[in-house]
Amino acid sequence: MRQNPSFAMTDVGEIRRLIEHHPWVTLVASTPDGLVASHYAVLLDESRDDLTIVGHVGKPDDAILGLGERELLVVVQGPHGYITPRWYGDGPAVPTWNFVSAHLSGIPEILTPEENLRVLDRLVERFEGEDGRGLYRAPNDAAFVDRLAAGTVGFRLTPTRVVGKRKLSQNRPVEVVDTIIAGLGDGPYANPSLAAEMQRAADARRPAGRA
C-alpha cells in the first residue's frame, strides 16, 4: 500500500482499534503457484499490547498459504466509501474514496493444538456475545472438539512490517470535512460508519475547546 505522510496511521493504539472493530481480514501469500488469498477472522493476542494477532485457517489453506514457512500479508479493512466532489464547493475537483486500512506482514508462528483450541474458544466468545438467550457453547463432546480442532491450524503473527493508512480528507479545510461528514450521514451517499470515523478523526485534529 503506497503511503502518504498526510494519511499515515502509525499509532499502535489506533491500529489495534482498527483490528478490534474489523477482525474479518484477508490473508495473502506469494507461493510457487502465484499469489493466494484467503479470508478469516483474527483477534489481537490478549497476552500482548502490540499488534500481534492470532487466528486460524481451515485445512488445507495452511498448506496452500505456506503458513509458517513464508511471509504472510494480513490486510485489515476498516470503513470506506465514495466521496463526491460536489461536497468540495466551487472549483475543479475529482471524486475520491476515503478509507482506513492496515497491512501487517511477517512469518506466522503455528500454534499448538491446545493454543489453537483456546483461540477457537475466544473467537466464539468474541462473536457470539450475550444476546439474552445465553452464550453459545461448543458441544461438550471431546471427540467432536478433537475433530473440529484437527481440521484447523492456529497461528500467531507478530508483524515485522506495518503500514497503516487513514485517508479521511485530512487535506481538506475543516468546513469541507464537516460537509462531507454531513453528506455521509444521510441521503444517497449515506455511510454512517465512515462518517463516524471521519468525525472521530476531525475531533482529534481540532484545538481543544473548538466545536
Side-chain angles (χ1 to χ4, degrees), residues 74-183:
V74 179
V75 179
V76 188
Q77 182 65 64
H80 61 92
Y82 176 77
I83 306 299
T84 173
R86 287 183 285 175
W87 290 329
Y88 295 156
D90 297 332
V94 297
T96 191
W97 202 273
N98 277 2
F99 64 91
V100 183
S101 186
H103 293 181
L104 314 178
S105 302
I107 299 177
E109 165 197 356
I110 302 301
L111 299 181
T112 66
E114 293 76 17
E115 290 173 320
N116 183 34
L117 274 174
R118 287 197 291 271
V119 169
L120 293 173
D121 284 342
R122 279 192 64 207
L123 284 165
V124 172
E125 292 174 3
R126 165 69 170 80
F127 299 112
E128 184 67 21
E130 296 288 355
D131 61 1
R133 294 173 295 174
L135 186 67
Y136 167 83
R137 298 294 181 187
N140 186 21
D141 182 328
F144 175 86
V145 172
D146 287 344
R147 288 196 302 273
L148 174 67
T152 66
V153 175
F155 68 89
R156 177 183 293 109
L157 174 69
T158 299
T160 52
R161 288 189 297 131
V162 177
V163 180
K165 192 168 184 177
R166 181 165 48 189
K167 180 179 176 290
L168 298 173
S169 301
Q170 298 97 316
N171 56 334
R172 296 287 175 178
V174 171
E175 59 272 17
V176 172
V177 173
D178 289 341
T179 299
I180 295 172
I181 292 171

Side-chain angles (χ1 to χ4, degrees), residues 12-94:
V12 171
E14 286 298 296
I15 300 176
R16 283 176 61 88
R17 175 180 173 270
L18 176 67
I19 298 168
E20 175 68 23
H21 287 265
H22 302 278
W24 185 249
V25 304
T26 301
L27 311 178
V28 183
S30 178
T31 77
D33 296 322
L35 292 174
V36 175
S38 297
H39 309 274
Y40 286 94
V42 299
L43 298 169
L44 291 165
D45 188 330
E46 60 184 350
S47 68
R48 307 279 293 271
D49 58 5
D50 57 9
L51 296 175
T52 298
I53 57 173
V54 292
H56 76 283
V57 301
K59 294 181 178 180
D61 280 1
D62 59 319
I64 294 172
L65 291 165
L67 204 65
E69 300 173 359
R70 57 176 66 98
E71 186 177 46
L72 187 70
L73 169 65
V74 179
V75 179
V76 188
Q77 182 65 64
H80 61 92
Y82 176 77
I83 306 299
T84 173
R86 287 183 285 175
W87 290 329
Y88 295 156
D90 297 332
V94 297

Side-chain angles (χ1 to χ4, degrees), residues 86 183 186-190:
R86 287 183 285 175
D186 193 17
Y189 299 105

